[in-house]
Amino acid sequence: MAKSFRGGVHPDDRKRFTAAKPIETAPLPDKVVIPTRQHIGAPCAALVKAGDLVKKGQVIAEAQAFVSSPVHASISGKVVEVADYPHPVFGFCQAVVIESDGADEWVEGLPLSRDWQALDAAALKDIIRQAGIVGMGGATFPTHVKLAPPPEKPIDAFILNGAECEPYLTADHRVMLEATEKVVTGMRIVMKVLGVTKGYIGIEENKPDAITALVAATKGTGITVAPLKTKYPQGAEKTLIKVILDREVPSGGLPMDVGAVVQNVGTMVAVADAVVSGLPLVERVATVTGGAIAEPKNLLLRIGTTFAQAVELCGGFAAAPAKLIMGGPMMGMAQCRLDVPVIKGTSGILALSADDVNAGEEQPCIRCGRCVDACPMGLVPSMLSILGQRGLYQVAKEEYDLLDCVECGSCVYACPAKRNIVHYVKYLKAQNAAAAAKK
Amino acid sequence: MSAEAKMEIGQLTVSASPHIRCDESISKIMWTVNATLAPAALFSVYRFGFKALVTMIICIVAAVITEYLIQKWQNKPVTVNDGSAFLTGLLLAMNIPATVPWYMPLFGSVVAIAVAKHTMGGLGYNIFNPALVGRAVLLASWPVAMTTWPEMASKIDGVTSATPLGILKLQGYEKLVAVFGDKMEMYKSLFIGTRSGSMGETSALLLILGGAYLIYRGYINWRVPVFMIGTVGTLTWAVGGPAGLFSGDPILNMLSGGLILGAFYMATDMVTIPITSNGQIVFAVGAGCLTVLIRLLGGYPEGVCYAILLMNSVTPLIDRWLKPAKFGARR
């Protein structure tokens, strides 16, 4: 029996364009633009300067704080510039531009094979930190931090998020099919670090082949594969924990408050690569798709490849895109230019046509209640949008639980009046933060 | 890399997520509601004749033109195509007798749109159901014309000016059953719609079919009609009988008057009722109780219109009181 949660929406998953397409390794790019900030947390400091020669896997920016993660060169070649470049999340950010020497050589001294079973939790955690691994589902929270919960928050369950509930995206799906063993190995490593025996893999039912593959691969490991109802936002941390463990992360809390840690599929592959093969995170799988892409694909791309290069590998645009998005269509970030680079959190590059977007003029709220039914957090999104129009962040916070909104976008998707509810929520949250900063 | 790869990008829209929307829209909802009302409306034209069609057209045209003029005058975008003014006109027509003089539906529609809808700020902002406000104003202004119903079924030839509920109130239950012949005939007549009443009060069958389709499409919540009609049935059975407690006729009370129309089409008006399912249940039960109260104790034989309007006024309170259960509020 597939499990579900209250609320949510059922958009057409639009995964048919790429679900059956095996991951294609992108050719070596001539040039990469690698931002020194690829994660939530403190920025890194560049260790290289123009003219330096670097090898693939060499650290080019070092973490300066605990909640931070180092950045590595994704190709070998010559650093031509360290300067501000467009960034898909932060607008502009310091980046290291490397021109390829065509050799694609790994940095020396990488331990090419390791017996991870012999390593203890602290050593494993350190390897994960040094490999620059962050949450690859899109949130880019440094993984070693998630794996180091404070002692007063005991963890007893680990959940692998294979839901991939965002429409269009199939990167995690393909990784689960094509790198099944690595996914399970990564998961077992992380469970060892956390010291937990209860492991779950949540996968939506629209990926039956991935469910079958992982059930087979986890036989005898004590890991449970949990088929989930196909429904957005099934893969949101809080709903996933609710569905699999029947525990509700308290308002304002984190998964560790209910003894759980959740990680993304791609992150597990990165962990396995780092721990078993000694390879830092220099590439990732991303789905390049959408109505405006000529030939949608799942691509294994080097970090620092530009969106333009990735789109070109898919035959360019079939039509002028109305929206260019990093990530999925429900929570991804709209981009205004094509020269932004692929970062560690780039799960997809979507070029949506006007038809895909189905935008419309925003109309007054008719109080139909569809947003209330759709909200997985049990809020009243229509009121948040009305308060947003009026800028009443205090009322929104105190009476309508503004800060509990996870911005999953279910309400906006469901709204017949095409109200930009998440936009208003972001605005109110920003107002609230500004007011708090003043105090 | 493909040589012919095209890389032109036009204007990229940058906005907050999500970037895809469902294909519902306000006009789609409103026109669907209009369409589901059409069978019952056409049936009333069939039963009451050409005069009913004229009254209906006056209501709709007046509502649409009023909205158009007000939006022009206020320099607002004209939204008469969204179907909501059309719906208000149609619902008002369903709520009045077919025989009223032409200026009454005209006046009612203008009041409904101009006062009940646009002084509040237009679609989405009105507190009271505009069509019901229109009907209430007409009933207060021309009480006789508004409660004189046209002759219709041969069975009730002798009582052309009273609805079943009117007969029940003034002459009693036995007399009412006698008018129809027997109980089964009465129920059948009420269900099919061969009786006197306002235009939309007649065919319970067609209204229920239309409402059922709206429930199926997710445009209205099944709880509202079920709880409202159920409350009226239960209460009239419990306290509405001539022979003391539990002797009332719930089927008669559920099928007569404007209850079916009100429960499926007015108490479900999304703009003026609570936004959560629980709030809507409270609303529906409250409207059911008030309907029974007015029918049994009030001066009118029928109470659905005022019951819903009264409950409209407490909608904001219900919304504040019954919010959804927040995620994470319990462990």
Side-chain angles (χ1 to χ4, degrees), chain B residues 221-244:
Chain B
N221 186 335
W222 63 270
R223 295 172 183 88
V224 175
V226 167
F227 275 88
M228 183 170 175
I229 296 169
T231 302
V232 169
T234 312
L235 272 184
T236 49
W237 169 66
V239 300

Side-chain angles (χ1 to χ4, degrees), chain B residues 92 108 111-112 115-116 128-138 305 309 312:
Chain B
L92 177 64
V111 169
V115 179
F128 296 102
N129 183 310
L132 287 179
V133 170
R135 181 189 186 261
V137 168
L138 289 182
C305 168
L309 284 174
N312 285 163

Side-chain angles (χ1 to χ4, degrees), chain B residues 43-118:
Chain B
F43 180 77
S44 74
V45 172
Y46 166 69
R47 298 303 305 184
F48 296 114
F50 186 64
K51 187 70 176 70
L53 187 63
V54 174
T55 304
M56 205 175 284
I57 290 172
I58 292 172
C59 279
I60 292 167
V61 171
V64 171
I65 290 179
T66 306
E67 175 144 300
Y68 176 85
L69 292 177
I70 288 176
Q71 289 179 329
K72 273 276 164 204
W73 173 56
Q74 294 184 327
N75 277 325
K76 283 184 178 173
V78 173
T79 57
V80 291
N81 287 336
D82 68 12
S84 65
F86 189 101
L87 181 60
T88 297
L90 180 57
L91 280 174
L92 177 64
M94 299 292 266
N95 272 285
I96 58 182
T99 46
V100 291
W102 63 271
Y103 52 86
M104 291 185 195
L106 178 70
F107 182 72
S109 268
V110 172
V111 169
I113 297 291
V115 179
K117 188 173 180 182
H118 283 284

Side-chain angles (χ1 to χ4, degrees), chain A residues 348-364:
Chain A
I349 298 172
L350 304 188
L352 299 179
S353 68
D355 275 355
D356 297 334
V357 173
N358 190 25
E361 282 284 297
E362 184 175 89
Q363 287 171 293

Side-chain angles (χ1 to χ4, degrees), chain A residues 6-10 365-376 379-382 409-418 421, chain B residues 21-26 28-30 32-33 213-221 270 274-277 280 324:
Chain A
R6 186 193 61 191
V9 289
H10 294 267
C365 171
I366 53 167
R367 300 171 35 82
C368 67
R370 282 167 177 259
C371 57
V372 177
D373 293 338
C375 182
L379 310 180
V380 187
S382 63
S410 298
C411 52
V412 184
Y413 179 82
C415 179
K418 313 289 174 207
I421 305 169
Chain B
R21 313 291 185 109
C22 70
D23 53 10
E24 295 293 353
S25 68
I26 290 178
K28 198 166 154 188
I29 293 174
M30 293 297 171
T32 307
V33 178
Y213 181 72
L214 293 179
I215 291 169
Y216 162 73
R217 286 289 296 269
Y219 290 168
I220 65 176
N221 186 335
M270 39 188 73
I275 202 162
T276 63
S277 283
Q280 289 172 9

Side-chain angles (χ1 to χ4, degrees), chain A residues 248 323 329 367 399 420, chain B residues 6 15 19 21 273 323 328:
Chain A
E248 281 191 19
K323 269 192 170 181
R367 300 171 35 82
E399 291 180 39
N420 300 304
Chain B
K6 291 182 284 178
S15 64
H19 309 289
R21 313 291 185 109
I273 65 168
K323 284 187 200 154

Side-chain angles (χ1 to χ4, degrees), chain A residues 26-33 74-80 97-103 302 304-306 309 312-313, chain B residues 1:
Chain A
L28 184 67
D30 306 330
K31 195 176 103 174
V32 288
V33 178
S74 61
I75 59 174
S76 62
K78 190 169 139 193
V79 174
V80 290
V97 183
I98 305 170
E99 254 173 22
S100 174
D101 58 9
R302 300 294 169 92
T305 308
T306 63
Q309 287 170 311
E312 204 146 334
L313 291 172
Chain B
M1 278 182 216

